[in-house]
């Protein structure tokens, strides 16, 4: 199974309000991402919160077991990815004692589908295709590509969890992608939303205006 990880831990300073609660087609960004990440191959979900954890949890119905609060959110996106990995369940084959946090996570999931709250304009169809390609090819990393640009969400296999946990803070998860450049599967898509980074009100207005 895969873990769906939705990162929503930042301060949203340029946007001026929590991105998770901004509206897209009448619903908050986070609710949309929760819906499109429902898939038979997704057995675990983690919503990583940080700066606005209390406000988000009050306004959106979330399973308490799926919430990960990253107290180190100010350290950047990578810290939220690492918090999610450390929270993943162990597999049934894990011994009662011994083993690292990374070993436990890797045994419990095949990989993680990483979704960013500032890239919410994706569809369930895109998620389905990415997951299908991950299991069909067993590529190390699977990601969408729109008109020559790589986008989100990205699937990382469990074999790379340890590298994500050890990645340099200044480069983040990109360092792991670069380290495995020859083993990245780019999945062509016509969904521009996968490359739209909604970080400020002007970009949001242009993007949602086109989408709606």
């Amino acid at each position: 199974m895969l873990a769906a990880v939705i990162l929503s831990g930042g301060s949203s300073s340029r946007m001026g309000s929590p991105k998770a609660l901004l509206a897209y087609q009448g619903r908050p960004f986070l609710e949309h991402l929760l819906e499109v990440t429902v898939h038979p191959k997704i057995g675990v979900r983690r919503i990583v919160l940080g700066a606005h954890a209390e406000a988000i949890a009050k306004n959106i119905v979330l399973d308490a077991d799926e919430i990960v609060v990253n107290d180190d959110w100010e350290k950047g996106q990578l810290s939220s990815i690492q918090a999610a990995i450390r929270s993943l369940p162990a597999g049934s084959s894990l011994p009662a004692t011994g083993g690292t946090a990374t070993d436990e996570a890797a045994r419990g999931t095949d990989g993680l589908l990483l979704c960013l709250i500032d890239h919410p304009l994706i569809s369930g169809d895109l998620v389905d295709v990415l997951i299908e390609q991950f299991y069909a090819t067993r590529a190390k990393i699977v990601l969408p590509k729109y008109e020559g640009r790589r986008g989100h969400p990205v699937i990382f296999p469990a074999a790379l969890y340890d590298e994500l946990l050890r990645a340099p803070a200044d480069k983040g998860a990109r360092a792991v992608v670069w380290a495995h450049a020859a083993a990245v599967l780019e999945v062509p898509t016509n969904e521009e939303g996968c490359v739209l980074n909604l970080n400020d009100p002007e970009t949001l207005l242009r993007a949602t205006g086109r989408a709606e």
Side-chain angles (χ1 to χ4, degrees):
M1 69 175 177
L2 287 173
V5 173
I6 302 174
L7 302 187
S8 187
S11 65
S12 302
S13 57
R14 280 180 285 176
M15 188 63 75
S17 59
K19 295 173 193 171
L21 303 179
L22 296 175
Y24 171 58
Q25 295 183 341
R27 293 182 305 164
F29 282 4
L30 181 52
E31 284 189 3
H32 174 71
L33 287 175
L34 290 170
E35 179 178 290
V36 300
T37 53
V38 173
H39 188 281
K41 290 289 188 181
I42 293 177
V44 179
R45 186 155 56 191
R46 294 290 184 266
I47 301 96
V48 185
L49 306 178
H52 302 287
E54 185 175 351
I56 293 170
K58 281 184 177 179
N59 285 277
I60 297 180
V61 177
L62 300 172
D63 187 329
D65 292 337
E66 297 180 344
I67 297 174
V68 175
V69 177
N70 176 22
D71 293 326
D72 294 324
W73 62 268
E74 290 180 287
K75 293 182 179 179
Q77 187 182 96
L78 180 63
S79 68
S80 288
I81 297 173
Q82 293 169 339
I85 291 174
R86 293 189 182 102
S87 77
L88 294 179
S92 58
S93 61
L94 185 73
T97 59
T100 66
T102 307
D103 293 334
E104 294 179 4
R107 288 172 186 258
T109 53
D110 299 323
L112 63 85
L113 174 77
L114 183 64
C115 301
L116 309 183
I117 200 66
D118 50 10
H119 284 73
L121 308 187
I122 59 171
S123 72
D125 289 340
L126 177 59
V127 171
D128 291 349
V129 169
L130 295 174
I131 292 175
E132 178 184 351
Q133 289 300 307
F134 174 76
Y135 280 102
T137 65
R138 292 293 180 171
K140 285 186 176 293
I141 300 169
V142 177
L143 50 81
K145 192 171 188 179
Y146 174 81
E147 294 187 353
R149 291 183 290 166
R150 288 178 171 181
H152 292 273
V154 179
I155 301 179
F156 289 93
L160 296 181
Y161 288 174
D162 190 57
E163 289 187 42
L164 287 167
L165 289 172
R166 293 184 288 105
D170 60 329
K171 296 181 176 62
R174 291 174 297 173
V176 178
V177 176
W178 296 336
H180 297 275
V184 174
L185 176 64
E186 298 174 337
V187 180
T189 180
N190 61 4
E191 291 194 21
E192 186 183 10
C194 76
V195 297
L196 292 178
N197 187 354
L198 307 187
N199 265 329
D200 57 72
E202 292 75 20
T203 304
L204 173 64
L205 181 60
R206 291 195 301 270
T208 55
R210 285 199 304 269
E212 296 178 348

